[in-house]
Amino acid sequence: MNALPADFVAPPARNTPLLGAFVVALFGAAAYFGVGLLIAPTITALYNNDPLIIYAPTHFEDARQYVLICNEGYNVPWEPLPTLHASRLNWMPGYALAQCLLHDWTGISLVFTGVVVSTGAIGLALFFGALTLYHLAIRAPTLHALVALMPLIGAVWVYLPGAEAMFLCLGMIVLWFITLPSLGNRTHFGWSQLAQILSGVPLGVTFMLTKPNALAFVAPIGFAFAYQSWESSRRAGYAAGFWSFIADMVIDQARPILVRLKRHGEPLFSLNDQPLRYEWRTLTVAVGILLGFAGWLAYTSVISGIPNYFLQQQLEYWGRAWTVGDVNAMFRFFAQAVQPSNAHTPWRYVAAWDLAVVIAALIPAVSRRVPTLIRGMLVLLVSFMLLTATASFASDRYAASTALIAIGWSCWLAPLTATRRYALLRWGFVIGMVAITWYLLLVKMIPAGEPGSWPIASDTRAPR
């Protein structure tokens, strides 16, 4: 499944790099805070002394909404769709809850809690990113975990205190969790193993309640479950390939039905015993994401009185640059990136940014330098982005802040062998992307007010 060069030499056995991961986490948190201070004047200039701004270096007013949620809770919409200008139910509770708890437990002002939470989240993202790369047997995992700090790969928006940093952090924890040493060779689990498997559910719920973009991880995690189960089964003696394993897995799960059919005639499939092992720990994270989505959908429906309120907002109010399946419209949208700026191309810079995000995800997805597990997950992530047209509304935040893209680039940069061939060229390419994306954001998009901000009401009373 993952052919390697003939001179490939597996990394030697090492101790878990906890100390190195801790050091890189401290460095990353300091770098994040420093960059935030550098770009604060540029962001502050956008608001023109707006009295509603709580802390200027925010992600275009979104961070203010999380503080308002902490202070006032979720307000009820005044009227049916569109209700974005009257309700904060579109903002997930994870980042707001983190700020509330930090404020209540430490007394830190809500003016600064977003900065503290985001800084800590970046540090944790690098810590678990280094451990994830270690689980994937990537050389120099602590060094290459720093890729998550690079604009576009880790998303420029994580440098603006907001939920993106927390989303990146939780994504890294998810990847670390599903790449832990396998439990699949066990036929019976003790209480500790069962607790480890079930802990994926609350992790998935928390991930979902931070940003709805966690839904894009469901299909990649499903692939990870199948792929890791296949690898565990091979270690147990299973000899067939990946696609044969998928078929055997389906047959194995349908075994009770097939046994009953066998009693009434010739069986349709062979029911010979196979050494199949399943990585249920991976699958429970996807279950948690779906449960979190269902719970939030139910909560917003009840509190608003509008059935499927949250889903309607995401699908109808936010809109799409193209309808699902309209490939021609998708290409026309991205083509704006290379057209001269005029009244007919108002989304030029956004289209350019979104196109760069897709390319940034595809480069490690198609590279044989990257482990098959990560490549398969990235392909499904990009497919979700394009099929659902998520690139039409700020995919730099919705996709590039995912840990999966950062891990993919970390693997792409890391040397496969002791000979570090072309490492300088790869790093040079990444640094060039950093310069281009910083220029695009700070010189082109932010001064033009792209993406725009929304004046959301801060009180819960309907206008008279």
Side-chain angles (χ1 to χ4, degrees), residues 107-311:
I108 296 176
S109 169
L110 287 170
V111 174
F112 305 111
T113 50
V115 177
V116 176
V117 171
S118 298
T119 302
I122 291 296
L124 287 174
L126 291 177
F127 180 83
F128 286 100
L131 297 184
T132 300
L133 293 174
Y134 172 79
H135 292 158
L136 294 170
I138 300 300
R139 291 179 178 274
T142 53
L143 170 64
H144 294 97
L146 288 172
V147 170
L149 290 176
M150 293 186 175
L152 195 58
I153 298 171
V156 173
W157 293 109
V158 302
Y159 290 100
L160 310 177
E164 283 71 31
M166 188 171 175
F167 185 66
L168 176 65
C169 169
L170 288 169
M172 283 295 190
I173 296 175
V174 167
L175 291 177
W176 164 80
F177 182 79
I178 68 177
T179 56
L180 283 169
S182 172
L183 295 174
N185 288 329
R186 299 176 180 268
T187 55
H188 301 286
F189 295 103
W191 286 109
S192 61
Q193 289 81 22
L194 183 61
Q196 185 181 139
I197 291 173
L198 295 179
S199 61
V201 175
L203 176 59
V205 170
T206 305
F207 191 34
M208 177 66 212
L209 294 182
T210 300
K211 283 186 76 68
N213 317 99
L215 284 173
F217 271 62
V218 172
I221 289 174
F223 169 80
F225 165 72
Y227 184 81
Q228 291 179 313
S229 297
W230 173 59
E231 288 194 322
S232 294
S233 299
R234 286 203 302 171
R235 288 192 290 270
Y238 185 83
F242 177 71
W243 295 112
S244 296
F245 173 79
I246 297 296
D248 285 337
M249 182 173 63
V250 173
I251 293 172
D252 187 53
Q253 298 305 309
R255 184 178 292 269
I257 299 175
L258 296 176
V259 167
R260 292 187 178 183
L261 292 176
K262 185 177 180 180
R263 297 173 182 171
H264 302 285
E266 193 68 23
L268 300 176
F269 300 94
S270 172
L271 297 180
N272 296 331
D273 289 334
Q274 296 282 353
L276 303 181
R277 302 290 185 267
Y278 301 116
E279 292 294 333
W280 298 115
R281 176 182 58 208
T282 300
L283 196 60
T284 56
V285 179
V287 172
I289 292 174
L290 294 175
L291 287 175
F293 175 71
W296 187 247
L297 190 62
Y299 173 77
T300 57
S301 299
V302 170
I303 195 174
S304 68
I306 302 173
N308 299 319
Y309 168 80
F310 178 74
L311 187 59

